[in-house]
Amino acid sequence: MSLPTLVSLPDDDTNTAYYARLREAASVQQVQLPNGFPIWLVTRYDDVRTCLRDERLAVDPRLLSSPEHKFGGRRVPEDTLSSTGRHMLNTDGAEHRRLRSLVNAELSSGAVGRWRATVDRIVHEQLDHLEREGAEAGGGPVNLMTAFANQVPVTVISTVLGLRPADTPVAAALLRELLSSKPTDSPEMIGYYHELVDLVLATIEHRRSEPGEDLISLLLARSESVGVRDLLSTVMALFVGGPPTTATAIGHGAATLGARPDLRAEALGSEAATARIVEELLRHHPPFQFAIWRFATADIHVGDVVIPKDATVLLSLAAANRDPRAYDDPDDVRSHRDGEPSHLSFGSGVHRCIGAPLARMEITVAVRSLFLRFPRLRLTVDPGELCWSDMVFDRRLESMPVNLGGAPA
């Protein structure tokens, strides 16, 4: 059987067309990853949503009948969250519910409001940094990703978790390495992973003696129910899984609103309007194009197709979020989509992103504050020329040159 190859393409109309072709050809089909490993891909909204909620599609590769079925018996560059440690992102059933319950209350929509002042402060500090970089560039372009979008979420999650400020740049540098395309089982990558583990363990010990209002301190206060292993795995999952996606959403939001004066004006009308448009931006471009790896623990019928037991499955959030069966004119970014279904960018079901409320708040504050400070911000290149990482699963904006002044709107 000849399989289409799932490739990493530039984030432009070509990429949209590629997903559309796959989606219209069939909702469920086999494709090959660039390394030749065959996986099953699901692309249509209803089927992706159903599969996200089907607990027979496990996130734990240890539930496969044989180790040889996990990525064809080998490691792939993007399997870190699936294959390393035991945490919320690679466990199922009772173990997943137990790990999730450790932080579920603290990361709920109501609870994250206590971090709003912290997010505001961090965003404005980074805007000051961005402004200084713009001045040093003499009005020339600056890289919005490295000067702002990447810095906000990694600083926020470090503060929420309780890392010492001096450790945040070190942790951020290790995170960049761990999310690179280098083989995850290479000595270099294993070394980076253990360096980050050691940093988190040192933070835990620091918070034992100097507790604060951060998440690690709150969990340590429940010492009778939270062991070091669970605390370490929870912190690692939140730190590795959160900042890159939030940074991509901030960058995409800046690029889109910079090119759409109508949306920008509406988004700046009120914070509620910004939040509503952020939801549409998340639908239009999910920070993760795919949900985290799924592994079939049984034969699973999706429409008239059977995904076989032990198959590796990717659920395409990007394709589902632009399915014309679910959305009218799905490639357009609209300020209102009344009566249309919720996007799937944060997943659905028991594995729905636990950090979604915090991410929403960060993106809304960052995008709104960015344009309030720099209302004429514009890309200095065509969107098709933006530089993206070459990962299939975790595609991130590497650079986004912008002019902070730009032409009048």
Side-chain angles (χ1 to χ4, degrees):
M1 173 178 169
S2 177
L3 304 179
T5 300
L6 185 63
V7 295
S8 182
L9 296 173
D11 191 68
D12 57 15
D13 290 341
T14 305
N15 196 31
T16 301
Y18 177 73
Y19 283 129
R21 288 197 303 272
L22 289 173
R23 186 179 55 233
E24 296 313 309
S27 183
V28 186
Q29 57 198 294
Q30 270 196 299
V31 301
Q32 284 182 341
L33 296 178
N35 65 3
F37 178 60
I39 56 104
W40 288 82
L41 178 70
V42 186
T43 54
R44 294 178 186 169
Y45 182 93
D46 286 345
D47 290 334
V48 169
R49 185 173 181 272
T50 297
C51 288
L52 285 167
R53 297 181 171 200
D54 191 330
E55 295 188 34
R56 296 173 301 169
L57 284 171
V59 299
D60 187 352
R62 298 164 184 82
L63 297 179
L64 295 170
S65 63
S66 171
E68 69 185 23
H69 294 302
K70 184 180 74 175
F71 307 119
R74 57 189 183 275
R75 298 292 298 272
V76 299
E78 298 166 88
D79 72 356
T80 299
L81 290 176
S82 289
S83 298
T84 306
R86 301 290 283 164
H87 46 74
M88 288 179 286
L89 301 177
N90 68 0
T91 54
D92 296 282
E95 187 177 13
H96 172 260
R97 290 192 294 273
R98 181 182 65 82
L99 290 170
R100 192 178 179 97
S101 70
L102 298 179
V103 292
N104 200 38
E106 284 76 15
L107 294 176
S108 68
S109 297
V112 298
R114 75 185 184 94
W115 293 106
R116 173 57 192 265
T118 298
V119 172
D120 280 335
R121 173 181 58 78
I122 290 170
V123 165
H124 284 90
E125 288 174 352
Q126 293 303 323
L127 287 172
D128 291 342
H129 173 70
L130 179 62
E131 191 165 16
R132 288 193 297 271
E133 288 219 357
E136 290 171 5
V142 295
N143 185 346
L144 187 72
M145 298 309 297
T146 58
F148 179 71
N150 290 340
Q151 301 302 320
V152 168
V154 77
T155 306
V156 168
I157 196 63
S158 296
T159 305
V160 168
L161 291 173
L163 271 66
R164 289 169 288 193
D167 288 335
T168 295
V170 178
L174 291 170
L175 178 62
R176 285 194 299 272
E177 295 292 349
L178 289 171
L179 295 174
S180 71
S181 58
K182 300 170 186 174
T184 48
D185 54 356
S186 68
E188 185 179 22
M189 291 287 271
I190 292 171
Y192 293 138
Y193 177 79
H194 286 295
E195 282 187 59
L196 186 57
V197 167
D198 289 344
L199 188 152
V200 172
L201 289 173
T203 301
I204 292 171
E205 291 310 307
H206 171 68
R207 289 304 173 194
R208 285 189 194 280
S209 59
E210 295 186 31
E213 297 301 316
D214 53 87
L215 196 57
I216 289 176
S217 296
L218 290 173
L219 291 176
L220 284 171
R222 305 178 195 162
S223 56
E224 71 285 352
S225 60
V226 183
V228 172
R229 184 186 296 271
D230 288 346
L231 184 51
L232 173 63
S233 70
T234 299
V235 171
M236 290 288 287
L238 292 172
F239 189 79
V240 175
T245 55
T246 305
T248 296
I250 292 171
H252 175 251
T256 303
L257 296 187
R260 289 280 303 272
D262 58 326
L263 281 178
R264 186 171 66 251
E266 186 168 350
L268 295 180
S270 68
E271 188 163 321
T274 310
R276 184 180 66 249
I277 290 173
V278 162
E279 289 302 305
E280 172 67 350
L281 293 168
L282 287 166
R283 179 202 66 81
H284 186 259
H285 183 95
F288 270 157
Q289 296 202 348
F290 303 96
I292 196 167
W293 305 101
R294 259 45 175 201
F295 305 94
T297 61
D299 289 348
I300 297 173
H301 292 257
V302 183
D304 57 359
V305 176
V306 177
I307 297 176
K309 181 180 178 181
D310 289 327
T312 298
V313 182
L314 279 181
L315 308 176
S316 177
L317 307 177
N321 277 355
R322 297 206 195 182
D323 188 348
R325 298 163 188 80
Y327 301 100
D328 181 39
D329 197 7
D331 294 334
D332 187 26
V333 180
R334 297 181 173 180
S335 60
H336 293 81
R337 284 193 173 272
D338 300 330
E340 295 182 327
S342 300
H343 64 75
L344 299 176
S345 297
F346 290 121
S348 186
V350 296
H351 287 288
R352 181 176 174 81
C353 176
I354 198 168
L358 181 61
R360 281 187 166 101
M361 181 170 68
E362 291 178 63
I363 299 162
T364 299
V365 172
V367 170
R368 180 176 178 80
S369 300
L370 177 66
F371 282 101
L372 286 173
R373 176 81 68 96
F374 305 111
R376 298 180 178 180
L377 182 145
R378 295 290 187 281
L379 281 175
T380 61
V381 298
D382 184 270
E385 298 176 34
L386 292 175
C387 180
W388 292 79
S389 64
D390 60 356
M391 309 287 271
V392 172
F393 178 65
D394 177 21
R395 293 182 67 245
R396 285 165 282 113
L397 274 164
E398 299 285 0
S399 65
M400 178 182 286
V402 298
N403 187 305
L404 300 179

